[in-house]
Amino acid sequence: MRKAWEKNIRTVVPYTPGEQPKFLEMVKLNTNENPYPPSPRVKEALDAINYENLRLYPDPACEELVAALAARYQVSPEEVFVGVGSDDVLSMCFLTFFHSGKPIFFPDVTYSFYDVWADVYGIPYERQPLNDRFEIVKEDYYRENGGVIFPNPNAPTGLLMELSEIEEIIRHNQDVVVVVDEAYIDFGGKSAVELIHKYDNLLVVQTFSKSRSMAGMRIGYAMGNKDLIRYLSDVKYSVNSYTMNLPALAAGKAALEDEAYFQENVNRIISTRERTKKELSKLGFTFGDSKANFIFATHERFQARELFEALKIKKIFVRYFNKPRIDNYLRISIGTDQEMDTLLEFLKKYVKEN
């Protein structure tokens, strides 16, 4: 029986993050983290921080990091917004832009935080079904709506939508805000950032968590028309003026200064991903052509949950989703070559013996 005060509580089904096991010896391929450390310049920047300055509030406008991002992407600082990871930025987008009362659109198989934010903020929504190949059907987004959001590449499928198709979705939705969530774009896609000067209703969101190896620092950012950024900032300052801490601001700026390391790191992961695809195919796995730092795979003979549990016993962690349409798939993050070899050796033995 509910207590009287509980009647006034907002209740939602929460987002479930990937498991964070605490074993010393394990292969952790379940949360799409980068297996390599961030640029050495990040360590230098952190070492240079005067700890006494931690008594002071950080710059609420995050000017140095914003300027570095603007220079990296050849946009103006007024077209950049930063937050505590892309989750914070995306949450601000839901709160700021999806306020019409009409349902927003996003895919039925996608980042599972979207419906959580919609529920938390009381935003109506409709999930648009992916086709049988797990592709976004752009025509499904041509109807009247209150806003559009989708990842590219999509998660957890890893499939990339071509920029021309994204532009078609934007072109059919110029009276609402369209958010393209590009957490994995650096692993093989072309960013929609080049379209922000063509469409003033487009917002592109990226993160330092994946390709820049800084999930622990929580740095996300958005790029779009300066009016969109101003509206986002107004909401941010109304919720929490000091979103970014001093070490994160310093580390983020330093990471952007080492483009060579960034490109080397990304190419390394892409190479490992493509090799892993070939080996998984030999073992009877099927999957789409992932352009992210993970592979979304199913097997012709073995149930995904069965494989998930067998891997877990050996302290090899991948991600399993007990959800309609995808409950026979595993999402496998790309680790180091050694980590992927450990995974593949186990799977070879498992397939041979079962």
Side-chain angles (χ1 to χ4, degrees), residues 35-49:
Y36 304 109
S39 162
R41 294 193 191 181
V42 172
K43 184 179 186 303
E44 293 170 7
L46 293 175
D47 288 344
I49 292 174

Side-chain angles (χ1 to χ4, degrees), residues 28-67:
K28 189 171 183 293
L29 306 173
N30 66 328
T31 48
N32 297 344
E33 293 149 326
N34 195 311
Y36 304 109
S39 162
R41 294 193 191 181
V42 172
K43 184 179 186 303
E44 293 170 7
L46 293 175
D47 288 344
I49 292 174
N50 182 348
Y51 86 98
E52 292 184 5
N53 288 339
L54 296 179
R55 66 186 177 82
L56 304 172
Y57 284 111
D59 174 15
C62 311
E63 287 185 2
E64 290 192 359
L65 178 57
V66 165

Side-chain angles (χ1 to χ4, degrees), residues 47-48 72 106 118 122 151 156 205 244 248 270 282-284 302 347:
D47 288 344
R72 167 65 171 75
F106 50 80
V205 178
M244 301 293 295
I270 291 172
K282 294 175 185 176
L283 295 174
F302 303 110
L347 291 174

Side-chain angles (χ1 to χ4, degrees), residues 2 11 17 30-31 39 44 59 79 87 90 96 139 157-158 181 183 189 197 210 238 248 259 312-314 325 328 349:
R2 297 188 67 179
T11 60
N30 66 328
T31 48
S39 162
E44 293 170 7
D59 174 15
E79 295 170 321
D87 286 342
L90 290 166
T96 305
E139 290 81 8
T157 65
D181 180 357
H197 294 136
K210 314 301 181 183
S238 301
E259 184 70 17
K312 194 172 181 179
I313 290 171
K314 295 296 184 179
R325 299 191 70 187
N328 202 30
K349 184 177 180 181

Side-chain angles (χ1 to χ4, degrees), residues 59 80 133 193 227 332 334-335:
D59 174 15
V80 179
R133 297 182 298 278
V193 170
D227 291 331
I332 305 167
I334 301 302

